[in-house]
Amino acid sequence: MIDKHSPLPLYFQLEEQIKKTIESKELVPGDALPSERELSENYQISRMTVRQAITNLVNKGYLFREKGKGTFVSSQKFEQSLQGLTSFTEDMLARNLKPGSKLLHFEIYPADEDIKESLNLQDDELIYKIKRLRLANEEPIAIETSYLPVKLVPGVTPDILEKSLYKYIENNLHLSIGHATQTVEAAIVNEEDSKHLKVNKGVPILLIQRETYLENGTPLEIVKSSYRADRYKFKIGIERK
Ligand code: 16G
């Protein structure tokens, strides 16, 4: 209920009410929100206040607007821990989702300067450039571009890449993946990726760059991934020592 005598702003109270109906699954992803007029009549508050609450929930990712159609409940974001060096396949299976991969680009060529330096390669060493669309229950989630040395990871085929690369590295090549460094930053999706990810042009994405090493310290891969910011959020545990 909305309490007009509460010191909490009315738009904030309405936001909380709408969030509760989403959390209790009274409204589920894809459901339409009642119209501004209905909400303003039901809660006896002005349409301007209703609009403010809805705009805030759109900005926070709980709702999305479709021109001429109305406002709808968004899918909940996947929450991904930044601790633990896991693969996309493992991340999806841990959530009981079906992992998927669509190979967009696969190439073997001599490493250029910056990649050569990051992967600690000698002159003319060959690398794979792999671009994959990653899916969860057939829904596009991320685009990953990876670079790996062919000598270290021989025999990679499109077939392997439609499944799990890490599984192949560990189970077939018997290499031990040790640690990685990773950065996360905000970016804007480019036109090509927006089509694959099925998002509008120019929306924000989370750009993740990972450098992974084997247990013995040998550089294994450089990966640049664009995750849908409307579907993904990252979580990290922190400690005050
Ligand atoms: C994750 C990794 C990526 C790795 C891939 C292997 C991030 C940002 N990236 O997506 O570095 O190559 O998993 O996945 O987490 P796969 O074993 O399912 O092919």
Side-chain angles (χ1 to χ4, degrees), residues 9-12 14-15 18 36 45-60 63 65:
L10 296 176
Y11 69 82
F12 178 78
L14 179 58
E15 268 183 57
I18 297 174
E36 279 182 15
I45 50 178
S46 76
R47 282 179 73 157
M48 225 172 73
T49 306
V50 171
R51 202 164 304 148
Q52 164 102 60
I54 293 177
T55 300
N56 290 353
L57 290 174
V58 167
N59 291 340
K60 289 176 186 165
L63 303 174
R65 286 192 173 106

Side-chain angles (χ1 to χ4, degrees), residues 17-86:
Q17 285 290 325
I18 297 174
K19 268 162 64 178
K20 264 191 211 148
T21 61
I22 297 173
E23 274 147 23
S24 66
K25 305 217 168 17
E26 209 175 299
L27 284 176
V28 296
D31 279 356
L33 199 70
S35 68
E36 279 182 15
R37 187 178 48 78
E38 283 173 284
L39 288 169
S40 105
E41 278 170 11
N42 289 352
Y43 289 101
Q44 293 294 299
I45 50 178
S46 76
R47 282 179 73 157
M48 225 172 73
T49 306
V50 171
R51 202 164 304 148
Q52 164 102 60
I54 293 177
T55 300
N56 290 353
L57 290 174
V58 167
N59 291 340
K60 289 176 186 165
Y62 286 93
L63 303 174
F64 67 95
R65 286 192 173 106
E66 275 207 10
K67 263 201 196 124
K69 287 192 182 158
T71 308
F72 301 87
V73 177
S74 311
S75 298
Q76 298 294 298
K77 288 188 185 184
F78 297 122
E79 194 174 87
Q80 171 68 43
S81 169
L82 278 175
Q83 278 127 336
L85 177 42
T86 50

Side-chain angles (χ1 to χ4, degrees), residues 165-211:
L165 178 63
Y166 276 15
K167 206 170 163 195
Y168 174 73
I169 292 172
E170 292 180 322
N171 296 359
N172 296 64
L173 300 178
H174 307 290
L175 296 171
S176 300
I177 300 173
H179 69 279
T181 58
Q182 194 162 290
T183 57
V184 183
E185 60 192 300
I188 297 292
V189 71
N190 65 34
E191 199 170 339
E192 193 195 329
D193 288 357
S194 73
K195 287 183 194 142
H196 294 303
L197 289 172
K198 299 208 171 107
V199 294
N200 291 332
K201 264 193 279 175
V203 301
I205 46 161
L206 296 163
L207 177 67
I208 303 181
Q209 305 204 49
R210 184 188 275 192
E211 289 183 15

